[in-house]
Every structure is written in C-alpha cells, then in structure tokens.
Amino acid sequence: MQIQDLPYADPGVPDARSGPRFLWWLFRNQLGGQFKSLAWGLLHFLSVSALPFCVGVAVQAVVDHSGRRLALAGGLLALCCVGNAVGDTFLHRTAVTNWITAAARVQQLLARKAANLGSALTRRVAAGEVVAVSTGDVEKIGWFVEAWSRFTAAAVTIVVVCVGLVVYQPALGVVVAVGLPVLALSVLPLLPRATRRADFQREKAGRATELASDTVAGLRVLRGIGGEELFLDRYRRASQEVRHAAVRSARMWSLIAAIQVLLPGLLLIAVVWYGVHLARQGRVEIGELVAVYSSVMILTYPLRHFEEIAMAYSFSRPSATRAARVLSLERATPADGVATAEAPGDPPSGDLYDPATGLLAPSGRLTAVVCGDPDAAGLLAERLGGHPSQEGVSVLLGGVPLDELPLDSARTAVLVQDKDPVLLSGSLRELLDVPASGDVGAVEALSAAQCADVLAALVQGSLDAEDPMDARITERGRSLSGGQRQRLALARSLFTDPEVLVLDEPTSAVDSHTEARIADGVRELRSGRTTVVFTSSPLLLDRADRVVLVHDGEVAAVGVHRELVHKEPRYRAVVTRETDDEAALNDARHTNHVRHEKDGVPHEQDVLHALEEIEESA
C-alpha cells in the first residue's frame, strides 16, 4: 500500500481484544512495507557501520605505505557512502509510508465504527475521548508500527558489527560485544515508570480535550448564563495538570536519554584505554584501534533506535488500548444474539413496528409519537433506525428485522435525524451532497423546511457567494441560530427522501408560526412516505395522521390529537405542560364527568347550561 493508494478499499477486521494485539494486527497487515523498510534500513545502517573499517584500512595502509590498499580503502569508502545515501533516502520514504498508511488504516476503522454505532458511540465513549483517539492516538500508533522495522534493522546491524569486531580484532571486539548489549538493555528498568507517567499524561490530556470540546459546544449557552469564565477556569486547571504531567514524563525520558549518552561514552573510554594498552604491547595495530574506536562511535547511532522503540511502545500501547476499546464496541443485536448479514439488495418497505413498545407506524402515513421522557424518546428513535444502543428484539420494517439487514440497506431504508443534528463546515451545496432518492429537489426540501430566511442569512454572511447554494456554513453552523440549524438539518433529511424518516424534535427551537408552516410542508412533501415524528408540539400533532402515546416504555394510547387531548390525561399532561395540581384537577373533573354519565345524572356544566337557557327564555 502506497500513500497515493489511500484510502483502503477495506481496512480489514481488527483484533481489538487488547492494545498489544491491535498493534500486532496492524504490523501483520503491513508486512510488505515492513520488509521494504527493513531492507533499506539494513543497507543504510550497514553502510554507516562499515565506514570505520574502511577508515581503519586506510590508516593502516598509510602507516604501511601501501598505495594499493589505500586505493582499495578509498573505493570501499565511496561504495559505503553511496549505500548510505541510497539506504537513508529510501528508508525515510518507506518509514513515512508505513507511518501514514498505518495511521490511515486506524482512522478508517474508527470512522467505520462511528458510522456503524451512530449516536450510540458518544453514550459509550466520551466525545473528547473519541476526538483524542482519532487524532493524537492514531499518530502514536503509526509511529510504533513504523519504528519497528528501523529498530529491527538497527538491532541486526549491531549484532553483525559485534561479530565482525570479534573476528577483526578479538581482544577489543570482545569488550565491545559485551558492552553493547549492556548499553541496549540499561534503560529497561526505567521503562515501566516512564510508561506509567506517559499513560497519566495521556489520561490528563484526554480529560482536557473532553472538557474543551464540551466548553466550545456549549459556549453560546455559557455566555447566556455568564458561566464561560467558570468553565475557562476549569479548562485552565486541566491544562496545567496536563503540563505538570508532561514535565514529569519528560524528566523520565530525559534521564533515559542521558543514560544512552553516558554509557556509550564510558564504553568509548574503556575501549580507548584498553586499546592503547594493547597497542603499547604490540598486540593491536594503529589501524585496528582506529577502526574499533570509530565503530563504537558509529554504533551509538543505531543504539538510539532502542530508546526510540521503547518510547514509541510506551506512548503507542495506551493509545492502541484506547483505540481497541472503541473498535471493540458493537451494535446491539437481538436478545438471542442471532443477526445475519444477507447480501445487499433493495431495502424492504412496509409498516414500521417496534415489538418492544408496540409502536406501529403505518406505511405511507405521518405518525407522531409523544413521550414524556426526552431520553426515552431518543433511545426509541435510534431503535427505529436499526442501530439501538441496548440489546433487545429488533424493529421490523415490512416484517423484516432491521438487525438482520446489512447496515447500508438499513440506513437506506430508515433515516433518523437526532434532536441535535450536526452541520459540517462547507457550502450549502456540500451540505446537501448526500445520498438521495432523486425524487425530491433541493429547492423543494428547503422550501418545506422554511429555510428562506436561513438562505438570506448565509448569503449575507458570505460576501463572495451570489448563489445561496455556494454560501458558506461555519463549523457546526455556529453562525446560525438554533432554529436555523434545525431547519437546514430538516431540509437535508427531506432531500434524502428515505423510505422511512424518523425526526426527533425537529422544531423544538422554531417559533410557532414557522413551526405551523413546517408541519404543512413536511406533511405535503412526505405524502405517501412513512414519517415518524417525536414531538410534543400541538401544531405537529394536529397534522399527524396518527398519534401514539408511549408511557413507561409501552404504547399507552393511539388516536388523533384532538381526541387524545380530551380523553387521555397522560397525553394531555405532556402536550399542555400541565402542573401536578392542574393534572389532578382535570383528572377529578374527568372522573366526575364519566361517573355522572354512567349514572344518568346530568353533569354540572350541563345543569348550568340548562339554567342559562331557562333564564334567557324567561
């Protein structure tokens, strides 16, 4: 896989049982790139490590006044320099490729998981954590996957050089062969503490990211209540905690780096002292001493990769653990655990039925659902979309369980618009660049959602846009009011024109006059299509073909708005926002009315009306 070939056609099915298993899975899926990087790394490191031998041969040739060996040494030096340059160039190229492709694979996996889980993802994992995993963590994971091949090349080079030194000059080679493994393993006792500090720093950083995300998302509300300074102070404290944790982590890594500098220096001193002692005895020639000394100096370069791989693993393991935790999340399946994935085909059509609550949305009709609990309404809306956050029996569309459909087919058949829809930054044309049936035009959808003033506001805010479709929308639509964002999101859903459209409080931030026009527009545009609206607005309820009251997780009443508001106290309490005292009084009146009708006794209001008629006739 090359960078230009991204994205992956299929990123694969990850092993998300643990962080190390996930890293190993990534490594196995990039064996081709790893072997390329290993080969170029060996060429680079061996070329660098061969330079001291060439220098040693050249020095000894000068001492022995041998022109032939000096020319040979020069040729070998030139060959090593070429190998060094070529190996370093392509090692960097393959290393960056491995890094980017590994990070891209993880990002694709995370994006696919987010699409599969939908809004249930942020209820299982904090939004700030998801952002941290999909940004900083993927970079650290890619770093470790890329660094492994360079570390392997460095380790092989050190072994080859140690063997070569023992053969070339046994007396000094043994000292180097014993000292280098000690240098490589000297930092191992410090790694657990460094890893713990890195984990603590990452935990604090994730918390700060989550807090920043929440603060920015609610900035408008915070300003309205004067609470922005409070949250900013909280973020400042969280960022200071991150800074302190980063400093403590950096101290440990600085200690490890200092050891990696100090111990090779001590080894060099030992080699020089012992080499001079052997040279005085005539057991070592000057060229051999220069070669061994230069080799030890050069080997400090590949030795740094031992520190790097330790640091990369310390940072990437917790990142991989967090990524694996997100990737291990699954859609809730039926209670018996049976969920088959048939081949993609035309999505089913027909009535939408939820066995858990008894909710039925007849095909081709506008059904309004009233729930006293907004959270329960949101969960039910997700269930109707075929991606519930909790296990249970599947919703049926035309008698076919949505959980048994391929996800693409389920999403094509049923579209759910959350109560807090997200608008991505870009132009209005890009906002409406979504899969659609083609039967509903953009102008029709925008008109039905009453977006005329929204288009005017967008054009006014985009001075270079003459066509409203080219007007720019800021991130999450922050330059628009809540009602304007709702209407744009509704227009996008109407433009998609799915077989079943589920709307969760689509007009909660809209004034009553606009809401009435939206209700008429949605009813007209969605004529012949199945539409389910979760709302407590009388304007929407009055235009629904069927109104369903869901109470305590079950359908409690079915009818039309005008009928239910008079006959069903629980429905009336939700729709009219009755207080407890008002609800008790209305219940008493309703009970008294029913009792009098049952006993054949005129109702109090009937008696008053009769008396008024008698007075008027008199």
Side-chain angles (χ1 to χ4, degrees):
M1 172 63 72
Q2 298 298 317
I3 296 177
Q4 61 265 25
D5 298 327
L6 293 174
Y8 288 93
D10 179 13
V13 180
D15 186 351
R17 289 177 290 177
S18 66
R21 288 178 182 270
F22 180 58
L23 290 174
W24 174 241
W25 178 84
L26 282 175
F27 178 82
R28 287 190 290 107
N29 279 270
Q30 294 195 207
L31 286 180
Q34 296 291 342
F35 281 126
K36 288 181 182 179
S37 183
L38 176 61
W40 292 117
L42 286 173
L43 176 61
H44 169 58
F45 288 126
L46 290 176
S47 297
V48 171
S49 301
L51 290 174
F53 292 95
C54 298
V55 172
V57 172
V59 170
Q60 193 60 43
V62 172
V63 172
D64 296 340
H65 304 285
S66 174
R68 185 178 61 82
R69 282 190 295 165
L70 183 61
L72 176 63
L76 291 176
L77 277 172
L79 184 62
C80 290
C81 289
V82 172
N84 179 22
V86 174
D88 189 25
T89 299
F90 285 94
L91 172 61
H92 180 73
R93 181 184 181 91
T94 55
V96 171
T97 300
N98 288 336
W99 190 337
I100 293 178
T101 52
R105 186 189 295 271
V106 179
Q107 285 183 322
Q108 281 189 246
L109 291 170
L110 291 170
R112 185 175 67 181
K113 181 60 63 175
N116 288 344
L117 294 176
S119 59
L121 174 63
T122 52
R123 281 201 298 274
R124 302 189 191 184
V125 182
E129 185 72 8
V130 176
V131 172
V133 170
S134 59
T135 53
D137 282 339
V138 297
E139 186 175 338
K140 294 181 178 66
I141 293 171
W143 177 27
F144 175 75
V145 174
E146 171 271 324
W148 182 257
S149 57
R150 288 190 291 111
F151 162 73
T152 304
V156 171
T157 300
I158 289 175
V159 172
V160 171
V161 171
C162 287
V163 173
L165 285 175
V166 171
V167 174
Y168 180 69
Q169 175 44 250
L172 290 174
V174 171
V175 175
V176 176
V178 173
L180 284 177
V182 174
L183 296 181
L185 302 177
S186 60
V187 298
L188 288 181
L190 300 177
L191 289 182
R193 181 177 295 181
T195 302
R196 286 194 298 270
R197 292 190 179 185
D199 290 349
F200 183 73
Q201 176 194 351
R202 177 58 187 77
E203 179 184 347
K204 292 294 184 181
R207 171 57 183 159
T209 302
E210 179 183 348
L211 185 60
S213 176
D214 293 342
T215 302
V216 172
L219 190 57
R220 179 172 299 191
V221 177
L222 292 175
R223 285 176 176 172
I225 62 176
E228 66 270 22
E229 285 299 328
L230 174 63
F231 275 77
L232 288 175
D233 287 340
R234 290 175 58 187
Y235 179 73
R236 290 190 188 99
R237 290 194 297 270
S239 63
Q240 288 301 312
E241 291 177 0
V242 174
R243 184 179 67 83
H244 290 309
V247 170
R248 293 185 71 249
S249 179
R251 286 174 180 167
M252 184 56 63
W253 289 112
S254 298
L255 177 60
I256 292 175
I259 292 175
Q260 290 290 305
V261 172
L262 174 64
L263 294 185
L266 295 178
L267 179 61
L268 277 175
I269 294 174
V271 168
V272 171
W273 176 83
Y274 188 54
V276 171
H277 176 70
L278 294 177
R280 286 178 176 176
Q281 295 178 352
R283 297 167 56 185
V284 174
E285 294 182 350
I286 298 299
E288 293 175 336
L289 178 60
V290 170
V292 174
Y293 170 78
S294 301
S295 296
V296 175
M297 285 193 63
I298 291 294
L299 285 180
T300 57
Y301 169 53
L303 272 176
R304 294 174 187 170
H305 290 78
F306 284 78
E307 175 191 350
E308 182 189 9
I309 195 66
M311 183 181 294
Y313 181 73
S314 298
F315 280 95
S316 66
R317 184 186 59 79
S319 296
T321 300
R322 282 184 289 272
R325 184 168 61 248
V326 175
L327 295 175
S328 64
L329 300 176
E330 297 293 341
R331 295 175 65 208
T333 56
D336 56 4
V338 178
T340 60
E342 302 294 339
D346 294 333
S349 60
D351 297 343
L352 186 67
Y353 177 67
D354 179 26
T357 60
L359 172 63
L360 173 66
S363 176
R365 303 185 60 186
L366 175 59
T367 302
V369 181
V370 177
C371 288
D373 183 2
D375 293 334
L379 293 175
L380 180 54
E382 290 181 356
R383 284 180 49 78
L384 296 180
H387 43 96
S389 58
Q390 300 174 354
E391 294 186 358
V393 293
S394 175
V395 171
L396 306 178
L397 178 60
V400 179
L402 288 180
D403 282 342
E404 296 185 5
L405 292 175
L407 188 60
D408 292 342
S409 298
R411 292 287 173 85
T412 302
V414 184
L415 173 65
V416 179
Q417 177 180 304
D418 295 334
K419 65 181 64 178
D420 186 21
V422 175
L423 302 181
L424 301 179
S425 60
S427 67
L428 182 57
R429 195 183 309 277
E430 293 171 340
L431 176 70
L432 298 179
D433 185 16
V434 293
S437 66
D439 296 334
V440 177
V443 175
E444 297 174 274
L446 292 168
S447 177
Q450 301 298 312
C451 293
D453 64 315
V454 184
L455 298 181
L458 288 175
V459 171
Q460 185 177 4
S462 302
L463 300 178
D464 56 342
E466 298 180 358
D467 186 349
M469 297 299 291
D470 295 326
R472 301 294 299 177
I473 300 173
T474 58
E475 181 186 2
R476 298 179 67 92
R478 298 190 189 282
S479 61
L480 303 173
S481 66
Q484 290 174 328
R485 289 196 298 270
Q486 273 192 339
R487 282 178 281 165
L488 280 181
L490 177 60
R492 179 177 57 187
S493 299
L494 294 174
F495 176 73
T496 302
D497 190 36
E499 180 68 26
V500 179
L501 176 60
V502 180
L503 303 172
D504 189 3
E505 295 289 353
T507 58
S508 59
V510 177
D511 63 85
S512 58
H513 297 289
T514 305
E515 187 177 32
R517 294 194 295 269
I518 290 175
D520 292 332
V522 170
R523 180 179 177 85
E524 179 180 353
L525 193 63
R526 292 289 299 173
S527 177
R529 292 285 203 180
T530 307
T531 307
V532 181
V533 182
F534 286 82
T535 182
S536 59
S537 168
L539 292 172
L540 288 175
L541 295 171
D542 192 43
R543 287 162 175 78
D545 299 317
R546 195 167 186 265
V547 179
V548 179
L549 172 65
V550 177
H551 183 72
D552 290 339
E554 295 181 354
V555 172
V558 179
V560 294
H561 170 64
R562 296 177 184 270
E563 173 187 344
L564 291 176
V565 80
H566 288 93
K567 294 185 176 180
E568 178 55 55
R570 291 172 295 185
Y571 178 84
R572 182 174 60 250
V574 175
V575 173
T576 63
R577 278 78 169 177
E578 286 181 337
T579 64
D580 293 340
D581 293 339
E582 291 173 339
L585 179 60
N586 287 326
D587 289 344
R589 288 177 177 175
H590 178 72
T591 303
N592 187 46
H593 175 69
V594 172
R595 181 174 59 81
H596 279 78
E597 287 185 346
K598 182 178 179 181
D599 296 340
V601 179
H603 190 262
E604 179 183 356
Q605 291 183 345
D606 297 335
V607 174
L608 291 175
H609 290 161
L611 290 174
E612 291 176 356
E613 291 177 358
I614 293 173
E615 291 178 357
E616 290 177 357
S617 62

